[in-house]
Amino acid sequence: MIVRPLHPEDLARIERIEQGAMPSPWSGAALREEIGAANGFALVAACGETVCGYAFFRIVPPESELLHLVVDPEWRRRQVATTLLDRAMAELAAQGCIVCFLEVRASNAAALRLYARTGFVRTGTRKHYYSQPVEDALLLTRDMAPAGEERNEDTAGC
């Protein structure tokens, strides 16, 4: 598996994965908008010749936010998401980020296990954040500050 920056030519494959993997998939227009976002950062995991997962982030150093992480259902439970997150955290840290935030459905046990394994901790709840069905989001945070370096109070959370 190779993790690399997302390229515009990956869009068709990402759209197919999105439609087959997500209960409320992002539209092609939304995906294109993220690819072109000035403060966006996106990676894909390529398994052989095919994209098998992807992640979109927003960066406003020293903070970053994971917006979307998707793995093709055929490639789940093969460390694709873990590999994407590990590489992304290293890249974000290299760009000056010391914290990464994300929201996840409270009922998404698989994602919660993944995020816990990769260093995220629960730091809050957003009531009724999701629709279809209405559900709370859990706010998770990963501290990426180098050991021995404290975060500025401005980045200590919401």
Side-chain angles (χ1 to χ4, degrees):
M1 178 185 335
I2 296 170
V3 176
R4 61 168 173 77
L6 185 147
H7 301 295
E9 56 269 20
D10 297 321
L11 184 60
R13 175 69 178 141
I14 287 171
E15 284 187 71
R16 284 193 302 277
I17 294 171
E18 185 75 16
Q19 294 301 314
M22 300 302 292
S24 297
W26 284 11
S27 68
L31 291 166
R32 282 188 294 282
E33 187 175 316
E34 279 308 313
I35 290 170
N39 63 339
F41 171 68
L43 293 174
V44 298
C47 304
E49 294 295 315
T50 188
V51 170
C52 54
Y54 51 95
F56 289 100
F57 295 82
R58 285 288 168 94
I59 304 171
V60 182
E63 297 180 357
S64 59
E65 181 179 10
L66 172 59
L67 302 176
H68 205 49
L69 173 65
V70 181
V71 175
D72 184 320
E74 294 180 24
W75 287 93
R76 290 184 180 159
R77 302 203 190 305
R78 297 186 195 187
Q79 300 297 308
V80 174
T82 300
T83 303
L84 271 167
L85 282 174
D86 288 346
R87 170 73 183 275
M89 294 302 109
E91 294 277 338
L92 292 167
Q95 294 183 44
C97 295
I98 61 170
V99 65
C100 186
F101 301 100
L102 65 87
E103 289 101 5
V104 61
R105 281 187 181 270
S107 65
N108 192 340
L112 289 167
R113 285 190 301 274
L114 166 71
Y115 296 134
R117 278 194 322 270
T118 56
F120 285 86
V121 296
R122 182 177 171 181
T123 53
T125 302
R126 299 192 195 284
K127 293 288 185 187
H128 312 297
Y129 183 81
Y130 291 105
S131 60
Q132 301 177 1
V134 173
E135 186 174 358
D136 293 348
L138 301 181
L139 177 63
L140 305 181
T141 305
R142 177 170 166 172
D143 187 353
M144 300 182 300
E149 186 176 305
E150 292 191 26
R151 289 191 300 170
N152 179 314
E153 285 302 311
D154 291 339
T155 62
C158 299

